[in-house]
């Protein structure tokens, strides 16, 4: 415990660095996975091949990735850019299939209704498909959050500073408190970012709220909420048609 109190400044600095790497990679992963997943959903013939190719990235061990990426990008192994690119690659590999499945789960009736009202494929994807697919995408994104926060620590093995530095330094010097501090702060970061994602989901997708009784969701209420969402979107589209006629 004394070691922790004597090194609070260093722990805080590493936590901030760890957080910045995580946020940069998460934003980039989401920005790439959304259009890739949408494209895979539209390109039916090559959907599975495309998703399998992207998903295969996650099968590559993390340490070799820190060697391969610099060879491809020309960045130094210990650079921040290498860390963000590696983390983003794993995030895209995890999230792209979830995005494709989420778009595929959108009601065909709602899509046809939007198309009948003159929505272009891009406009429909952004204003109709994405809001309805959002809750499923968010669920997959939460998995990516936990994965990304944990993978940041691997960078310490090749000399990129993060909370993983507490692991490597603590093991080398035999300081258990240092290792525990790294574990605890990594867990705290993962829980914090996951909590923020949940709050964002409640704000962006309020129709997904379901009353909880005894800590479990009632499946019938979930189905009713989903149907209600599709009906609400349909009403919105009809309202837009009437407004346009005026």
């Amino acid at each position: 415990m004394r070691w922790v109190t004597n090194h609070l400044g260093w722990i805080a600095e590493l936590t901030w660095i760890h957080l910045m790497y995580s946020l940069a990679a998460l934003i980039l992963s989401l920005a790439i996975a959304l259009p890739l997943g949408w494209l895979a959903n539209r390109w039916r013939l090559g959907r599975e091949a495309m998703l399998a190719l992207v998903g295969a990235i996650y099968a590559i061990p993390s340490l070799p990735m820190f060697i391969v990426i610099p060879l491809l990008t020309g960045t130094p192994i210990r650079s921040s850019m290498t860390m963000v690119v590696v983390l983003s690659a794993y995030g895209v590999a995890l999230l792209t299939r979830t995005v494709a499945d989420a778009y595929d789960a959108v009601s065909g009736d709602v899509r046809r209704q939007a198309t009948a009202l003159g929505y272009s494929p891009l406009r429909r994807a952004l204003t109709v498909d994405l809001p309805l697919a959002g809750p499923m995408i968010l669920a997959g994104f939460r998995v990516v959050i936990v994965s990304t926060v944990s993978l940041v620590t691997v960078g310490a093995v090749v000399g990129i500073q993060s909370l993983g530095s507490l692991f490597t330094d603590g093991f080398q010097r035999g300081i258990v408190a240092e290792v525990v501090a790294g574990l605890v702060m990594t867990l705290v970061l993962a829980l914090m970012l996951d909590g923020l994602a949940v709050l964002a989901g409640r704000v962006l997708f309020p129709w997904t709220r379901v009353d909880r009784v005894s800590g479990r969701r009632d499946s019938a209420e979930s189905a009713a909420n989903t149907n209600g969402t599709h009906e609400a979107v349909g009403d919105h589209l009809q309202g837009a048609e009437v407004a346009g006629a005026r």
Side-chain angles (χ1 to χ4, degrees):
M1 191 65 181
R2 182 178 300 176
W3 184 95
V4 174
T5 56
N6 290 338
H7 296 81
L8 286 177
W10 189 41
I11 294 174
E13 179 184 354
L14 292 177
T15 301
W16 176 255
I17 294 173
H18 199 112
L19 177 61
M20 291 300 100
Y21 282 142
S22 300
L23 288 176
L26 288 170
I27 293 172
L28 190 58
S29 298
L30 188 61
I32 296 174
L34 283 176
L36 273 183
W38 177 78
L39 181 61
N41 184 58
R42 285 183 56 84
W43 187 30
R44 289 293 180 175
L45 293 178
R47 169 191 166 99
E48 291 305 319
M50 179 179 176
L51 293 178
L53 181 63
V54 174
I57 296 174
Y58 202 77
I60 303 174
S62 54
L63 286 179
M65 279 286 279
F66 281 98
I67 306 300
V68 173
I69 293 299
L71 293 176
L72 296 176
T73 61
T75 57
I77 293 179
R78 298 181 179 180
S79 69
S80 301
M81 181 62 68
T82 297
M83 172 68 89
V84 173
V85 172
V86 170
L87 295 174
S88 300
Y90 284 125
V92 171
L94 277 178
L95 192 56
T96 300
R97 178 173 288 276
T98 300
V99 173
D101 290 343
Y103 276 121
D104 190 50
V106 175
S107 171
D109 292 337
V110 174
R111 286 178 172 173
R112 285 187 290 271
Q113 196 169 10
T115 301
L117 291 175
Y119 279 56
S120 66
L122 180 59
R123 183 186 176 193
R124 191 192 70 186
L126 294 176
T127 61
V128 178
D129 294 350
L130 183 57
L132 293 177
M136 185 181 295
I137 294 174
L138 179 62
F141 188 60
R142 291 177 63 188
V143 176
V144 175
I145 288 175
V146 176
S147 172
T148 299
V149 172
S150 62
L151 282 172
V152 174
T153 60
V154 179
V157 178
V158 296
I160 303 176
Q161 282 203 333
S162 67
L163 288 172
S165 301
L166 299 177
F167 300 162
T168 56
D169 187 69
F171 279 124
Q172 290 173 357
R173 300 168 60 190
I175 304 175
V176 177
E178 186 175 2
V179 177
V180 172
L183 288 171
V184 170
M185 292 310 300
T186 301
L187 179 61
V188 168
L189 274 184
L191 292 176
M192 181 189 72
L193 292 177
D194 181 66
L196 290 175
V198 172
L199 290 176
R202 291 179 179 178
V203 173
L204 296 173
F205 317 117
W207 58 84
T208 59
R209 296 179 185 175
V210 181
D211 294 332
R212 288 181 172 85
V213 180
S214 301
R216 296 183 300 178
R217 292 184 178 183
D218 184 272
S219 58
E221 290 183 0
S222 296
N225 273 272
T226 302
N227 292 334
T229 301
H230 291 164
E231 292 173 1
V233 172
D235 293 342
H236 171 71
L237 293 173
Q238 291 175 354
E241 184 182 26
V242 173
R246 293 178 180 176

